Amino acid sequence: EAVDFDDMRTGAPPSDWSATQTGSGTAKWAVEKDDSAPSKPNVLKQSGQATFPVCFKNDTNIKDGFVEVRFKPISGKEDQAGGVIWRLQDANNYYVARANALESNVTIYHTINGKRTEKKRVKMQVASGAWHTLRVDFSGTHFTVTYDGKKVLEWDDNTFKNAGKVGVWTKADSVTLFDDFTYSGT
């Protein structure tokens, strides 16, 4: 399945997605036109401020498969991050892999009852203002993170064994664009 946001109404979150957050603050998710979009004309933009803004596709329920997105970190003083989430049970329980332009790294976490815990990280150049690709392949307890076409992290965990939803994620004051969201279950 692929979502490029191009046939969606601009100025509002995608209609078949849950645009929310983990923690406090106010996430602001909206489909907007953007001339830099890898697949023109639209992107999904997060421009609010919240602990962890999350936006997930409601009709997904995947145990094993992959999730991938193109993302562009635009701005943020605290963070400039883009990520993918999988096996999401609700807005407070999920896995996340993210790339951060301010910290120059790619990291994998699990979030349990709203508390995010880092599991593994790798130093990686993440340019602000440029499009990048982040992908996670997940099967059983094994997860493989690919950044801009290069395998960068592997991790094993059994916190969330059941199928769940997939989506995108940012942190704090990150203004981030997302496009070409793809996913599949095996």
Side-chain angles (χ1 to χ4, degrees):
E1 298 278 338
V3 180
D4 60 16
F5 307 105
D6 294 335
D7 58 352
M8 298 180 182
R9 184 171 60 89
T10 58
S15 60
D16 54 346
W17 293 59
S18 289
T20 186
Q21 75 228 8
T22 305
S24 61
T26 305
K28 183 182 176 196
W29 293 96
V31 174
E32 294 189 4
K33 287 193 181 321
D34 187 273
D35 290 337
S36 76
S39 60
K40 291 177 181 34
N42 294 345
V43 297
L44 175 60
K45 181 178 184 179
Q46 198 299 124
S47 59
Q49 291 193 25
T51 308
F52 305 118
V54 296
C55 192
F56 56 89
K57 193 153 182 356
N58 293 325
D59 63 357
T60 57
N61 193 38
I62 301 170
K63 182 175 180 180
D64 296 324
F66 80 89
V67 59
E68 179 178 304
V69 75
R70 303 280 313 267
F71 75 97
K72 180 180 179 180
I74 300 294
S75 65
K77 286 185 170 58
E78 185 179 334
D79 246 24
Q80 290 183 28
V84 291
I85 52 180
W86 70 100
R87 290 193 189 156
L88 177 133
Q89 307 304 299
D90 57 42
N92 292 309
N93 295 281
Y94 52 85
Y95 289 114
V96 59
R98 70 99 172 107
N100 189 320
L102 291 184
E103 297 176 6
S104 297
N105 60 34
V106 176
T107 310
I108 194 168
Y109 305 87
H110 62 43
T111 301
I112 301 171
N113 296 325
K115 184 180 184 322
R116 184 186 68 152
T117 304
E118 179 180 322
K119 294 302 168 181
K120 212 166 185 183
R121 111 174 10 199
V122 63
K123 203 83 171 136
M124 191 68 45
Q125 185 59 44
V126 182
S128 185
W131 286 97
H132 303 282
T133 303
L134 189 63
R135 175 183 173 119
V136 177
D137 291 271
F138 47 99
S139 180
T141 60
H142 190 71
F143 313 130
T144 303
V145 180
T146 305
Y147 171 74
D148 282 348
K150 179 182 175 197
K151 184 168 80 171
V152 295
L153 284 175
E154 289 189 79
W155 179 52
D156 290 279
D157 184 76
N158 64 1
T159 301
F160 301 114
K161 299 178 185 90
N162 298 326
K165 299 184 183 328
V166 293
V168 294
W169 178 100
T170 68
K171 182 181 175 211
D173 63 345
S174 296
V175 176
T176 306
L177 307 181
F178 297 92
D179 200 6
D180 299 337
F181 180 81
T182 56
Y183 61 93
S184 179
T186 54

